[in-house]
Amino acid sequence: MPIDLLVELEPVVEENLNRHLSMAKEWMPHRYVPWGCGQDFADTEEAELEAWNPDTAPLSPEVRAALEVNLLTEDNLPSYHHEIAARFGREGAWGTWVHRWTAEEGRHAMAIRDYLVVTRSVDADELERQRMAVMESGYDGGDRTLHEAIAYVALQELATRVAHRNTGRRTGDPVADRLLARVAADENLHMVFYRSLVDAALAIDPSAMVRAICREAMAFQMPGAQIPGFRRKAIAIARADIYNLGVHWNEILGPLLRHWRIFELTGLDASAEALRDELALFVSQLQADAERQADRFAKAAQR
């Protein structure tokens, strides 16, 4: 009889939901924004003194790119909510988690946008145009199985945590660093929740879960990849060592694969073994590519 993972994981979801609620800290987005820096924006293009000026923006272009990508990714929350509600349901512990996760994620875009606008760190008009474009395109997680969906979100939540934390450290602004550390703390708790579901699924249905982890690890892409100008911004972010191949391996993929002991598990079926062999080759290539990228960036910096 096929395993109904949604049903099998329900007690695990409830246990980890209770754990999450016991550890999550209440925080107020408006208390992380330096409102005293605020200045009105012009209602007309003629008011040049009130228009945004990139030369006076307090953040470097690389950090600005990272914050824009981070924020525009967070902005697609309605699509993400639809995705997980459709996959996990809106009843019982699963449903409670879906709504709690959505409520927590909603704070991130609020606080980051307010910070960027108040400090005039970005062109607010262009940011709004991009928000509209991103939300109009939405997000489609494809036809992932439940196994693949929980593997993906575990990877994605850790990647998001790392992206926010590394961005904060490179802002040079204690206010932004504090804000992004707070956002990253939320993302870490979300990652722990999903990582625990993967742990349980590996015990319930190991071969299917290993196949899912291998597929998602090799095809991983952040949900903000459809952001206008994403490739150009991603290159700037990589050069700043905020998120690049080395960061992806050393801080996201490597730690999770080791946590799940992917290359140590025994008793897998033939298809899971085959995909694990593919993953091993992928990891080897990723590490080599990360070294080459780091060398290329170092040489470019010297020039």
Side-chain angles (χ1 to χ4, degrees):
M1 180 181 296
I3 294 173
D4 187 339
L5 192 62
L6 200 67
V7 173
E8 293 286 338
L9 285 178
E10 177 87 21
V12 182
V13 171
E14 183 171 6
E15 177 185 349
N16 280 277
L17 171 64
N18 291 335
R19 177 183 182 277
H20 177 85
L21 294 175
S22 71
M23 297 186 68
K25 294 182 179 179
E26 180 183 68
W27 64 279
M28 304 301 169
H30 55 276
R31 296 186 180 180
Y32 285 76
V33 179
W35 298 105
C37 299
Q39 178 185 354
D40 287 346
F41 282 82
D43 289 331
T44 63
E45 294 180 0
E46 288 74 19
E48 295 181 2
L49 291 178
E50 296 181 7
W52 184 73
N53 183 352
D55 294 332
T56 60
L59 302 176
S60 70
E62 297 81 11
V63 169
R64 194 183 310 147
L67 279 164
E68 288 173 354
V69 168
N70 292 354
L71 172 56
L72 291 169
T73 300
E74 298 279 3
D75 272 327
N76 240 345
L77 182 59
S79 278
Y80 309 146
H81 174 85
H82 173 77
E83 285 282 328
I84 64 172
R87 294 178 190 280
F88 301 157
R90 299 179 61 177
E91 305 298 329
W94 279 109
T96 302
W97 166 256
V98 166
H99 293 299
R100 173 71 189 204
W101 175 88
T102 302
E104 291 183 357
E105 287 286 343
R107 296 182 295 202
H108 302 168
M110 292 178 200
I112 295 172
R113 175 174 288 98
D114 285 344
Y115 169 84
L116 290 175
V117 172
V118 165
T119 60
R120 289 182 174 256
S121 295
V122 298
D123 183 341
D125 290 350
E126 181 58 27
L127 183 66
E128 175 60 11
R129 293 185 187 104
Q130 291 195 35
R131 185 191 70 85
M132 290 292 292
V134 168
M135 293 193 69
E136 284 175 6
S137 66
Y139 173 77
D140 184 355
D143 57 354
R144 288 188 176 99
T145 65
L146 182 61
H147 296 77
E148 291 165 349
I150 61 173
Y152 175 77
V153 289
L155 288 162
Q156 183 267 322
E157 292 285 4
L158 180 52
T160 304
R161 184 200 85 182
V162 169
H164 284 306
R165 195 67 194 94
N166 285 350
T167 301
R169 288 172 175 147
R170 286 162 178 77
T171 60
D173 178 6
V175 175
D177 189 29
R178 176 172 173 263
L179 165 59
L180 292 169
R182 180 60 259 175
V183 170
D186 274 3
E187 303 289 8
N188 190 61
L189 286 180
H190 299 165
M191 179 276 294
V192 170
F193 177 89
Y194 287 120
R195 187 183 65 186
S196 297
L197 297 194
V198 175
D199 292 343
L202 281 167
I204 294 168
D205 198 0
S207 291
M209 198 62 233
V210 166
R211 285 193 294 271
I213 291 170
C214 290
R215 291 190 185 108
E216 294 304 321
M218 291 188 287
F220 182 77
Q221 188 177 53
M222 289 292 276
Q226 83 275 28
I227 291 170
F230 177 80
R231 180 171 174 76
R232 173 179 52 79
K233 291 175 182 177
I235 291 172
I237 293 166
R239 288 185 182 278
D241 204 30
I242 293 172
Y243 198 109
N244 52 33
L245 295 179
V247 171
H248 181 66
W249 168 249
N250 291 318
E251 301 186 44
I252 295 101
L253 187 55
L256 284 177
L257 294 181
R258 287 191 293 273
H259 174 85
W260 292 321
R261 301 174 66 245
I262 290 300
F263 296 113
E264 302 168 36
L265 295 174
T266 59
L268 302 177
D269 63 25
S271 62
E273 291 280 13
L275 270 173
R276 188 166 62 171
D277 289 343
E278 287 184 34
L279 178 62
L281 293 174
F282 172 85
V283 164
S284 178
Q285 185 62 55
L286 175 62
Q287 292 171 319
D289 290 344
E291 290 178 5
R292 281 193 291 271
Q293 185 184 67
D295 184 58
R296 186 168 68 253
F297 288 162
K299 288 178 179 177
Q302 289 174 357
R303 292 196 295 268

